[in-house]
Amino acid sequence: MLALSANGVLPKADYAIFADTGWEPRAVYDHLDRLEREIAAPAGIPVLRVSSGNIRQDALDPAHRFASMPLYILNQDGKQGMTRRQCTGEYKIKPIKRQVRGLLGYPYPQRIPRDVFVEQWVGISTDEFHRAKDADVRYMRNRHPLIDLGWSRSDCLRYLTSVGFADTPKSSCLGCPFHGNAQWRHIRDTSPDEWQDVVAFDAAIRAGNARANASGNPLLGEAFLHRSRVPLSQAPIDHVTAAEWAARQDALPDTDPEEWERGVVDGCSPWACRGEADAALTRDDVGLAS
């Protein structure tokens, strides 16, 4: 959408906002720098980087309130679950709303008049049209330009290729539990230091939220980044044949090998995270102590 705006296909945007969780892959930050330098700046579109903190550091800090990631849980009785996904709201939506209020001149807790609002573009393509929703506040009115253009994900990829951005990386936390095996392999095989980072984080969150543990509300099972619910360093992330997959079903209960391989196809968009329906379990569902 930024390239379409800069090149006159869409109206010129006043601002672009990037919500930084503090734990994106290095390739995403490099891409953002290039996007700002080669697309946004020449078109006179400021790129505003906003943040609510570093999600990795916050998760391991017992003194910090942590908005939970959708971790895979294996309880002591063998029951499986997931923790509630709060990270998108805390680390993406919240800082964007704070920035928008500032741009409008009404920082929280000031009341914003009904006739004051921004038109916010959300990059959902026709493949995901059912995820196009209205904003939940009056001062932000969502618009979906890609759907208006009738563009699919393939159309977007073709356009990015035509303007020299064919290798645009997916934006999501380095250790997002919604990664598929292909993404985990890519990290392991192309960026050893980032792989060691996520393996270390996976081990560090085995007992759950650091603050919850410190406050006497520990997880009664174990938490994992990989859906197999084994340590990431040992997880079955290498591509397997259909025969091998069939042989593994006793150990890997989910039956869709393509889902395991691809994970969440799109990046973690603030208003369109595809994992939102998968991570809605309550405290009791995941075996937290009361």
Side-chain angles (χ1 to χ4, degrees), residues 132-282:
K133 301 175 183 177
D134 293 331
D136 60 353
V137 289
R138 288 198 305 266
Y139 61 87
M140 300 169 76
R141 298 186 183 179
N142 286 352
R143 180 184 166 194
H144 304 88
L146 299 177
I147 293 178
D148 294 340
L149 291 171
W151 278 28
S152 66
R153 183 179 181 84
S154 297
D155 293 319
C156 296
L157 292 173
R158 279 193 292 271
Y159 181 74
L160 287 170
T161 299
S162 75
V163 296
F165 281 80
D167 57 350
T168 295
K170 180 190 298 186
S171 174
S172 62
C173 285
L174 190 62
C176 179
F178 291 135
H179 285 343
N181 285 342
Q183 291 166 279
W184 290 124
R185 287 197 308 275
H186 179 76
I187 298 171
R188 181 195 64 188
D189 298 342
T190 64
S191 185
D193 57 333
E194 291 186 324
W195 176 247
Q196 290 304 315
D197 184 21
V198 293
V199 166
F201 179 78
D202 174 71
I205 52 88
R206 192 73 67 240
N209 184 333
R211 182 172 180 178
N213 291 329
S215 63
N217 192 27
L219 189 68
L220 297 184
E222 293 184 312
F224 301 87
L225 288 181
H226 193 266
R227 65 190 306 167
S228 62
R229 295 171 174 84
V230 300
L232 186 58
S233 60
Q234 305 168 28
I237 67 172
D238 287 299
H239 190 74
V240 297
T241 66
E244 289 172 329
W245 185 267
R248 289 186 180 188
Q249 286 313 295
D250 288 341
L252 308 179
D254 290 352
T255 58
D256 182 0
E258 284 304 307
E259 185 177 338
W260 277 65
E261 180 69 11
R262 295 190 315 268
V264 175
V265 175
D266 293 327
C268 190
S269 165
W271 281 269
C273 179
R274 293 187 61 193
E276 62 186 359
D278 300 327
L281 299 185
T282 66

Side-chain angles (χ1 to χ4, degrees), residues 79-152:
K79 181 181 178 182
Q80 297 183 355
M82 289 185 75
T83 52
R84 186 180 298 275
R85 181 181 62 88
Q86 300 173 316
C87 47
T88 300
E90 181 70 18
Y91 291 92
K92 289 183 177 286
I93 295 176
K94 182 178 178 179
I96 289 175
K97 287 181 175 178
R98 183 170 59 240
Q99 179 67 73
V100 167
R101 276 181 158 271
L103 293 173
L104 291 174
Y106 294 90
Y108 184 82
Q110 292 185 37
R111 181 180 177 277
I112 302 177
R114 282 181 173 272
D115 59 346
V116 176
F117 63 91
V118 299
E119 179 181 273
Q120 174 178 250
W121 296 356
V122 182
I124 296 174
S125 65
T126 55
D127 311 79
E128 297 281 339
F129 73 92
H130 57 284
R131 296 186 178 275
K133 301 175 183 177
D134 293 331
D136 60 353
V137 289
R138 288 198 305 266
Y139 61 87
M140 300 169 76
R141 298 186 183 179
N142 286 352
R143 180 184 166 194
H144 304 88
L146 299 177
I147 293 178
D148 294 340
L149 291 171
W151 278 28
S152 66

